[in-house]
Amino acid sequence: MSTHEHTDPLAQEFVEFSVKAGVLRFGEFKTKAGRLSPYFFNAGLFDDGAKLGRLAEFYARRLLASGLQFDMLFGPAYKGITLAAAVSVELARLGHNKPFAYNRKEAKDHGEGGTLVGAPVRGRVLIIDDVISAGTSVRESITMIEAAGGQPVGVALALDRQEKATENGADVPWSAVQDVTRRFNLSVVSIATLHDLLDYLATTSDAALAAHGDSVAGYRARYGI
């Protein structure tokens, strides 16, 4: 089921940070696919300088450890815009200065026009997003990057939910992340996965958090890939 049988220290650190920042919450949440999920990850809540800076640090550390080669970052509007900017700042701080670009949702009819903003899109382009729920934003990004003359090489995510995707309202035996990997031949690099989240709940000394372990494991048994 898992890509790593042992615990991943960077992922554990990230899950703990996300819980403390209130970005990763437990309870009952309705997903886009209409499932009742026992946890919810909302990257929009990395909403101050300290939290965004730490998030960027996790992305940069994971990307550098992955060995994935890329020339620039692309952030899909809207969440990806702050992610691409923040991760680009952190990579530069670590000695890897990469340009970044993003799209605007509405075409501009004055100035330079067009929907792409930032550095010219060229070379090997890494898309940066928070999660992939349906893969729509990745598909749209690929279209824009290729139209501009760039080559999409991968997607960086904060969390891989590792759950079955839905197509035409029915569960399918692969996840949105697997679909993106297979369909577009892209590498997907995630800071953490559902497996890492379960590891964290199984080892935390916080009894209130540990109590959510069974419901998350149950969700994984039903919808996991």
Side-chain angles (χ1 to χ4, degrees):
M1 289 285 274
S2 151
T3 48
H4 30 233
E5 298 310 319
H6 56 286
T7 53
D8 176 329
L10 182 65
Q12 292 305 301
E13 202 183 323
F14 177 68
V15 172
E16 182 175 35
F17 161 60
S18 300
V19 169
K20 286 185 173 159
V23 170
L24 181 54
R25 298 177 180 194
F26 299 94
E28 201 170 80
F29 307 92
K30 195 155 215 174
T31 70
K32 279 184 188 165
R35 296 171 186 159
L36 283 181
S37 171
Y39 74 98
F40 181 56
F41 180 84
N42 180 2
L45 296 173
F46 289 114
D47 56 6
D48 66 28
K51 284 184 285 211
L52 183 61
R54 280 215 66 201
L55 173 62
E57 187 190 318
F58 281 109
Y59 271 109
R61 283 165 66 191
R62 180 61 89 210
L63 280 168
L64 294 175
S66 77
L68 179 64
Q69 298 297 306
F70 58 94
D71 301 309
M72 68 177 296
L73 302 172
F74 180 81
Y78 290 97
K79 262 182 202 162
I81 297 176
T82 47
L83 293 176
V87 174
S88 156
V89 169
E90 178 61 18
L91 284 168
R93 195 182 69 80
L94 295 171
H96 302 267
N97 189 20
K98 306 278 186 188
F100 71 95
Y102 55 90
N103 66 299
R104 58 164 71 85
K105 295 250 186 177
E106 37 312 290
K108 195 169 71 163
D109 58 3
H110 59 275
E112 55 201 324
T115 57
L116 296 183
V117 188
V121 173
R122 54 175 174 236
R124 297 164 299 183
V125 184
L126 175 75
I127 299 163
I128 189 149
D129 216 336
D130 54 349
V131 294
I132 294 180
S133 45
T136 318
S137 138
V138 173
R139 276 194 291 278
E140 288 169 357
S141 299
I142 288 169
T143 305
M144 286 184 280
I145 291 164
E146 288 178 340
Q151 178 205 348
V153 291
V155 187
L157 301 177
L159 182 72
D160 177 356
R161 287 182 59 103
Q162 294 181 310
E163 67 181 68
K164 293 172 181 171
T166 53
E167 289 184 10
N168 305 317
D171 293 349
V172 290
W174 55 82
S175 71
V177 167
Q178 288 174 324
D179 189 45
V180 161
T181 310
R182 196 175 49 200
R183 196 177 297 194
F184 305 112
N185 195 27
L186 295 180
S187 300
V188 176
V189 177
S190 305
I191 304 171
T193 65
L194 177 57
H195 172 80
D196 298 313
L197 172 49
L198 279 165
D199 270 357
Y200 177 77
L201 294 175
T203 54
T204 180
S205 55
D206 182 326
L209 275 177
H212 295 289
D214 286 349
S215 55
V216 176
Y219 186 80
R220 184 184 180 176
R222 184 169 177 189
Y223 296 115
I225 43 105

